[in-house]
Each structure stands twice: as structure tokens, then as C-alpha cells.
Amino acid sequence: MLQCVADMNLSDSYGKVGVPKQLVIKRDASSIPEAVIKSGLSLPLVAKPLVADGSAKSHELSLAYDQYSLRKLEPPLVLQEFVNHGGVLFKVYIVGEAIKVVRRFSLPDVTKWELSKNAGVFRFPRVSCAAASADDADLDPSVGELPPRPLLERLAKELRRGLGLRLFNLDIIREHGTRDHFYVIDINYFPGYGKMPEYEQIFTDFLLSLAQSQYKKKSC
């Protein structure tokens, strides 16, 4: 699903949107270090389980600091280059034409010193869940400022068309030290909308619009 974003080459006056380099590992953890070297991925790497069954494990992220620790990971999983982003991500909910954005605390930045001194795999359960809301936090504007609305509208439009979805959400980060360089790090189809502000009204309007469009088609 993230490949759809990469194929867009979305860049305009409001900013640039891309995806981190990533690699899918389906089996055999012992082969991960060699596969990472061949693909040219740089450490540290975020490991995300491919299982999406709503279990606690499916929401667990791991951050691998060194080549040796990659063997400790448990496939099937996706490896993604970690991008420093100020410890905050933007969860963008799309319901038909409606777009709602909330802030969530995320993985902390990793300095070059930390990368050189740390080793192993660090696990982070339930990153960016509703309990990790950063909407009321006193954030540096360079970190907490929401992505430009026109950029989100164009991105949502292209993804609706490319993925054929009307109900999904995105996890977006802003590269730390930049104002307009964003990465889509995750896409979820039919996510838990109960966490979205004004969920009831937005979802009701969406269902009504579907019913009205179907009624008009039958009338014609």
C-alpha cells in the first residue's frame, strides 16, 4: 500500500511526500542482515509485523540498532528505515471526502551518538495509540504543526483513486529539521474510527452520502 505513495512522486508548493525505504521479510531471521545490506537500508531500522489481526503483537514496533540484532527479529515483518521526526506523528483519518488529523506521540529521535553506543532490539508496544495523544501537549511548533491541508487533500484524493478505498488512515511524520518534507510510514484500511474526533457526525454524513448517491443512480 505504501508503494502507491512512492509511485505518486507527490511534491508541490505545500511540501514533499515520500515513504521510507523498506524491505519485506517473510521468513528466516538469519537471512535478514544480508538482505538489509543488499537492499541498501541504513540503521536504525523499524520492524513492523505483517500480521494485522488487532492483537497486541500486531501493534508492537521494534527498533534495531545494529546488524547482529536483526537476527533476533521475528518474521514475517516489514523493515523500514527510521526517520527522525521529533517524536510526534500525524494520524490522518479519511472517511470518504472528510479528513481529520490528530497528533500522537511516537518513537523518540535517535542521535548519531546513540546509534554508535547502543546495540540490540528495543520493543515499543502500542505506539501512537489514542492514549498517546499529543494534541494538548506543549510542542515545539516545528514539530507539532499539522501538515498543510491542501497537501493532505491531494494525498487523500490520490490514495482514494490508487487504492480504491474510502475508509482508511495514514501515519505521517515530518522529517526533523525540515518544515515541508513528510513521510507516510503506514496505511491502514478500515481503522478504528472510534478514536477519531467527531467520529459519529463524520461517519453518519459519509453513510448518508453513499445512500443518497445510490438513490440518485436508481432514479436515473
Side-chain angles (χ1 to χ4, degrees):
M1 295 174 77
L2 285 178
Q3 188 58 42
C4 187
V5 179
D7 293 341
M8 288 180 197
N9 191 26
L10 188 61
S11 180
D12 58 25
S13 58
Y14 294 102
K16 181 179 180 181
V17 179
V19 297
K21 290 177 65 176
Q22 60 181 14
L23 175 68
V24 175
I25 303 292
K26 294 185 177 180
R27 59 179 68 87
D28 188 13
S30 64
S31 67
I32 295 178
E34 184 179 355
V36 166
I37 292 172
K38 285 184 177 179
S39 63
L41 268 66
S42 299
L43 294 164
L45 295 174
V46 179
K48 303 180 179 184
L50 281 179
V51 177
D53 57 4
S55 65
K57 190 172 182 62
S58 70
H59 291 283
E60 184 179 86
L61 299 183
S62 299
L63 192 61
Y65 276 82
D66 63 284
Q67 290 283 347
Y68 177 77
S69 66
L70 294 173
R71 301 175 186 271
K72 300 178 182 178
L73 298 174
E74 300 175 17
L77 51 80
V78 177
L79 292 175
Q80 201 175 74
E81 283 190 342
F82 180 75
V83 178
N84 281 334
H85 53 285
V88 172
L89 64 78
F90 307 100
K91 194 167 283 289
V92 183
Y93 293 93
I94 289 94
V95 182
E97 300 294 321
I99 300 173
K100 199 74 177 176
V101 188
V102 296
R103 300 178 186 86
R104 293 279 191 268
F105 286 114
S106 177
L107 300 182
D109 287 350
V110 177
T111 66
K112 291 182 178 178
W113 184 88
E114 290 172 328
L115 185 59
S116 66
K117 296 296 181 182
N118 289 332
V121 174
F122 295 81
R123 304 190 187 281
F124 299 86
R126 302 293 297 178
V127 173
S128 81
C129 66
S133 174
D135 281 328
D136 297 325
D138 185 17
L139 299 172
D140 186 319
S142 66
V143 172
E145 182 183 3
L146 297 179
R149 187 75 182 185
L151 186 71
L152 294 179
E153 290 174 349
R154 184 180 171 196
L155 178 60
K157 180 181 178 181
E158 294 294 331
L159 286 174
R160 278 194 297 265
R161 181 167 54 189
L163 298 175
L165 297 175
R166 296 187 184 185
L167 299 172
F168 59 101
N169 77 358
L170 320 170
D171 287 348
I172 297 179
I173 59 173
R174 174 190 285 110
E175 185 174 5
H176 193 50
T178 74
R179 190 171 186 272
D180 58 0
H181 195 176
F182 301 93
Y183 289 92
V184 178
I185 58 172
D186 207 359
I187 300 178
N188 302 294
Y189 57 88
F190 201 67
Y193 281 103
K195 308 166 190 173
M196 181 180 74
E198 303 173 30
Y199 150 72
E200 295 89 348
Q201 187 62 53
I202 291 174
F203 209 78
T204 301
D205 290 345
F206 169 67
L207 294 176
L208 284 172
S209 70
L210 288 182
Q212 290 166 357
S213 65
Q214 290 298 317
Y215 178 79
K216 288 178 181 179
K217 287 180 181 179
K218 290 180 180 179
S219 299
C220 293

